[in-house]
Amino acid sequence: MKRLIKLFILSLLPNLIFAQQAEIWVSPNGSDLNAGTNEKPLASLQLALRKVRELRRLADPSVATGAHIYLENGVYALNEPVFIRPEDSGTPASPTVIEAAPDAKPVLSGGVSISGWQKLKTTVAGLPKEAVGKVWVAEAPKIGGRLAEFRQLWVNGEKAIRAKDTPDPLMNRILSWNKAEQTCWIPTPKFGDLSKAAGLEMQIQQWWAIANLRVKTIAIQGDSAKLSFHQPESRIQSEHPWPAPWISKETGNSAFYLTNAIQFLNQPGEWFLDTKAEKIYYIPRPTENLATAQVISPALETLVRMLGTADSPVSNVLFKGVSFQHTGWLRPSQQGHVPHQAGLYMLDAYKLKIPGTPDKKTLENQAWVGRPAAAVEVSFARQTGFENCRFEHLAATGLDYHKGGSDNVIRGNLFKDIGGTGILTGVFADEATEIHRPYNPTDEREICNNLLISNNLITNITNEDWGCVGIGAGYVRGITIEHNEISEVSYSGISLGWGWTLTINAMRNNAVVANRIHHFAKHLYDAAAIYTLSAQPGSVIAENAIDSVYKAPYAHLPYHWFYLYTDEGSSYFTIKNNWTPSEKFLQNANGPNNVWEHNGPQVSDSIRTQAGIQKPYRYLLNDKVQPDTNWLITKDNPVIVEIISNDNKPVDAQRLKAVLVRTKIRLDALYQWQNRSVIFDKVQDVSVLTSRLKSAFPTATIRTYYDLVYEFNRNRCDAGATAGDWEHTILTANLVNDEKLQKEYVADHATQFEKWPEVAKGFCNAGFQQLLVFKNGRQLMLVISIPKGESLDKLNPKTTENNPRVDAWNARMKRYQEGIPGTKPGEVWVNLQPVFLTN
């Protein structure tokens, strides 16, 4: 009998232990004068933490096996960040758990509700005529008796648009940038007088980053306008060499838009904060009723700050089921924002007159960076974590494990509608350290190590700072990033590493495994689903599934995107079994001992289907933002590069062959006519190829044909399989020197499949496998691909058999076309002949 009683008591032990755990209850309807029980909850998380802190200080038996702070349903409007200190730490046997009460969805919010909306009935200087009668107005919120400044606004949970001069996704392009004067010329804005638009800003797209610049003056001179900017961003923007404003006749200059002027308020969903009148103006979307809508602006930049020290870290504090919402970020409004990469903004940057640093003899770029604010900031913490939490409606970074983290877990969370990076971790470079210096601290407790980032959904992020990333990791050690899904990102999916250095540093033993990354690089290129920097011994990138790169409309180089990209100094990586639609990878200035094995479309389909969020966490996918149907997905198309020598003969074949071999381009990808040589092939990095060609042939003209005007393939055909091997015929001609007719030509090709379907039918009948038309300026390049062994002379007549509309199309095209220089009178299309270079 005694044995049975003993076994019965042991069977109840888990319940007895749970019963002994301290429970503190919090409710938006509670009071901080209450005891913190379920029946009489507290009102704030801060007071609940204080109660637990006191229980631990006094060694109260109730916390022997843990302390649970239960947050009941509702919004907890914070007026200051929740600070979690080392004194709030638990132990492995007695953790502090801050979690949602059963069936509750608590929200820690840094936002302020805006109410009292009325239809605007007075005249407001600068308001566009088309907006009259559509605008609603409310008193701008005040905090502590002062006007609240903010850059974001959410209406019924959807981010509104700060008034701008172009509707998404349209942008204008700069005309020029004067670094010495620190000024920029743009086309004259068509919005009246902007010279007194206090707060006017310019967002400019430059390579892999953007910049937010506060406009100081705008001076109109005819069809152009000259902008100057406030300091300190004016100096930094004009002095830093990378990434700088892009100036290119081939691909277009840097794109930009202007924002934050009432003159731009003309679209549904746009808003403007008039700081002088202390009013906020908004044009509702058709589905919104401002009499009942929830309108929120941010008041805090950070909601939770968990901060320990190397000697006294925060430990064993866990968040579960909590939502973090509505944070702002004011630095761009106060000091401008000129990022270097991955959202790290430059405090100073310039080009060395005499290149060379101790770590890199050829380095000419110096920069010091700062770190954006985050909704939740964690430093010097161990055995902490976030699980089943939601990070939404945030201005800058979502969750930042910065320095000194060890054995922490980020699992099963949602990161959605975030202006910057979803998850940031590790030291990149502190404000006192130049970014190219390898980080190897004497006190290794500073290093972020053994962090697990698993089964998180990261979607619709980087929607303000386009140069941020889904997951950004700096100098980290033993980090595991696995089974996450990342989508709707403006730049890269995962960025791992910092420093651009071959030198062995703090990074090692990192793993990026079984993630699904898709619909990325929406705005900026020089991007990849997974991007790495610097030496990282023992690190692995494996079994990830990657697809769907957006066709960024204003990318500086239209083909400069990749599925996998190991950049400067990347060393000691194993990259294997990653599924991608093609082998569009880049290895740029890599170090030693990288192993690439079995990556691309040939990887087992089981790897592709098993990547991403695992079954227990797939409920997160209900919150996935669907792809924007107005955006196209880019493809790994071949490109055309033309080399025009300055005499009447082609460039030297052997020198050209050396460039092709070095750039891993097929030797049968070369075609020539007179002094023109054309390369037609898939190229991993067109910019590398053109740079090598310019070096090999300094007096030649190098032209890249990025603009694909027209594409036909066998998917347009009802019958006939795609041939296995193709042969290409490449022809070139000019468009006539008439801009109106040039636009007609492009428009005809854009609508050919709808208005001239017989043309594509003719191509199908002829057995054409592919037909591409590229354009650079007035010059066209036409590629016709047919089955190997067939003859174009034999197949081409079949395009017009019983198909008179093709004859009509061809006759129409003659109006637009003429021969290039060097053709005979009446000659239009010239055929570039294949050149057979031998190995």
Side-chain angles (χ1 to χ4, degrees), residues 17 23 64 197 202 210 274 322 392 452 495 622 663 703 820:
I17 290 173
E23 292 185 4
M202 175 190 201
I210 57 99
D274 187 333
V322 178
E392 297 180 274
L452 175 64
S495 179
N622 293 327
T663 318
R703 291 164 56 88
I820 63 173

Side-chain angles (χ1 to χ4, degrees), residues 150-153 160-163 265 270-273 281-282:
F150 51 91
R151 300 173 61 87
Q152 294 78 29
L153 191 74
I161 302 166
R162 204 169 180 224
L265 186 63
E270 285 190 332
W271 64 277
F272 174 73
L273 173 63
Y281 303 102
Y282 179 65

Side-chain angles (χ1 to χ4, degrees), residues 186-203:
I186 64 171
T188 296
K190 299 177 181 178
F191 290 90
D193 184 11
L194 294 173
S195 62
K196 297 180 181 179
L200 181 67
E201 293 182 15
M202 175 190 201
Q203 176 167 310

Side-chain angles (χ1 to χ4, degrees), residues 482-675:
E482 66 175 17
H483 285 291
N484 302 283
E485 180 163 334
I486 301 173
S487 68
E488 298 304 311
V489 184
S490 297
Y491 178 50
S492 294
I494 296 173
S495 179
L496 178 62
W498 196 250
W500 296 266
T501 178
L502 297 167
T503 303
I504 299 298
N505 55 74
M507 293 182 288
R508 66 193 64 154
N509 300 330
N510 299 313
V512 180
V513 179
N515 301 282
R516 179 162 188 249
I517 305 169
H518 59 100
H519 293 92
F520 64 97
K522 191 170 187 177
H523 292 289
L524 304 177
Y525 280 178
D526 199 31
I530 302 172
Y531 170 91
T532 69
L533 278 170
S534 300
Q536 302 188 39
S539 295
V540 175
I541 298 171
E543 299 184 4
N544 300 283
I546 301 165
D547 64 80
S548 301
V549 180
Y550 275 120
K551 188 176 179 65
Y554 299 102
H556 67 297
L557 291 172
Y559 288 94
H560 201 64
W561 57 266
F562 309 96
Y563 296 118
L564 301 170
Y565 184 172
T566 50
D567 202 3
E568 292 193 43
S570 293
S571 314
Y572 310 102
F573 277 95
T574 297
I575 302 107
K576 65 179 182 180
N577 295 331
N578 296 284
W579 188 93
T580 59
S582 71
E583 295 182 19
K584 190 139 187 347
F585 312 137
L586 181 60
Q587 302 168 54
N588 179 50
N590 285 185
N593 298 101
N594 288 328
V595 177
W596 289 73
E597 291 181 351
H598 198 236
N599 301 287
Q602 71 275 16
V603 171
S604 169
D605 199 54
S606 63
I607 286 178
R608 182 176 64 85
T609 57
Q610 290 171 20
I613 293 175
Q614 293 173 299
K615 190 172 183 180
Y617 301 95
R618 286 182 184 162
Y619 61 87
L620 289 168
L621 298 178
N622 293 327
D623 280 290
K624 183 167 65 174
V625 173
Q626 296 304 308
D628 190 334
T629 56
N630 294 317
W631 289 74
L632 300 175
I633 301 300
T634 192
K635 293 184 288 186
D636 186 13
N637 282 326
V639 296
I640 287 181
V641 178
E642 183 181 31
I643 309 105
I644 307 171
S645 66
N646 61 351
D647 51 29
N648 292 322
K649 58 183 180 180
V651 294
D652 181 77
Q654 291 305 310
R655 204 185 310 171
L656 182 54
K657 175 185 173 182
V659 173
L660 298 183
V661 170
R662 186 181 176 196
T663 318
K664 299 180 181 179
I665 293 173
R666 295 178 299 107
L667 294 182
D668 61 354
L670 182 63
Y671 301 78
Q672 289 180 342
W673 180 79
Q674 292 186 3
N675 64 332

Side-chain angles (χ1 to χ4, degrees), residues 181-387:
E181 289 186 356
Q182 300 179 13
T183 57
C184 175
W185 285 93
I186 64 171
T188 296
K190 299 177 181 178
F191 290 90
D193 184 11
L194 294 173
S195 62
K196 297 180 181 179
L200 181 67
E201 293 182 15
M202 175 190 201
Q203 176 167 310
I204 182 171
Q205 180 172 322
Q206 39 199 23
W207 303 39
W208 58 82
I210 57 99
N212 299 102
L213 309 171
R214 298 169 299 155
V215 177
K216 183 178 181 180
T217 63
I218 177 168
I220 308 299
Q221 293 187 16
D223 60 359
S224 303
K226 183 181 182 180
L227 305 181
S228 70
F229 307 97
H230 288 284
Q231 300 292 1
E233 67 266 35
S234 178
R235 173 184 57 80
I236 296 170
Q237 167 70 4
S238 286
E239 287 188 351
H240 79 277
W242 305 101
W246 180 255
I247 305 295
S248 171
K249 291 182 179 180
E250 284 192 341
T251 63
N253 297 344
S254 277
F256 77 95
Y257 65 78
L258 301 176
T259 185
N260 199 37
I262 197 166
Q263 288 88 340
F264 306 149
L265 186 63
N266 59 7
Q267 298 289 326
E270 285 190 332
W271 64 277
F272 174 73
L273 173 63
D274 187 333
T275 56
K276 186 176 181 179
E278 298 186 351
K279 305 283 186 184
I280 181 168
Y281 303 102
Y282 179 65
I283 300 180
R285 299 178 177 98
T287 57
E288 294 168 346
N289 179 1
L290 288 189
T292 58
Q294 181 192 59
V295 183
I296 296 178
S297 64
L300 294 181
E301 294 187 336
T302 300
L303 303 175
V304 174
R305 185 169 286 120
M306 188 185 300
L307 181 60
T309 67
D311 293 323
S312 184
V314 176
S315 63
N316 295 284
V317 176
L318 309 172
F319 278 86
K320 294 184 178 181
V322 178
S323 182
F324 305 91
Q325 296 188 13
H326 303 126
T327 60
W329 190 41
L330 291 178
R331 179 183 171 85
S333 295
Q334 297 168 349
Q335 300 182 66
H337 178 56
V338 187
H340 186 276
Q341 189 165 310
L344 282 294
Y345 55 85
M346 286 181 276
L347 301 164
D348 196 8
Y350 54 87
K351 186 175 181 178
L352 294 171
K353 292 182 179 179
I354 301 175
T357 64
D359 191 65
K360 195 171 184 179
K361 293 181 179 179
T362 59
L363 184 68
E364 61 179 9
N365 177 24
Q366 296 281 277
W368 291 259
V369 298
R371 195 179 187 102
V376 177
E377 298 178 349
V378 184
S379 279
F380 291 106
R382 65 186 183 196
Q383 296 178 344
T384 67
F386 293 81
E387 186 163 356

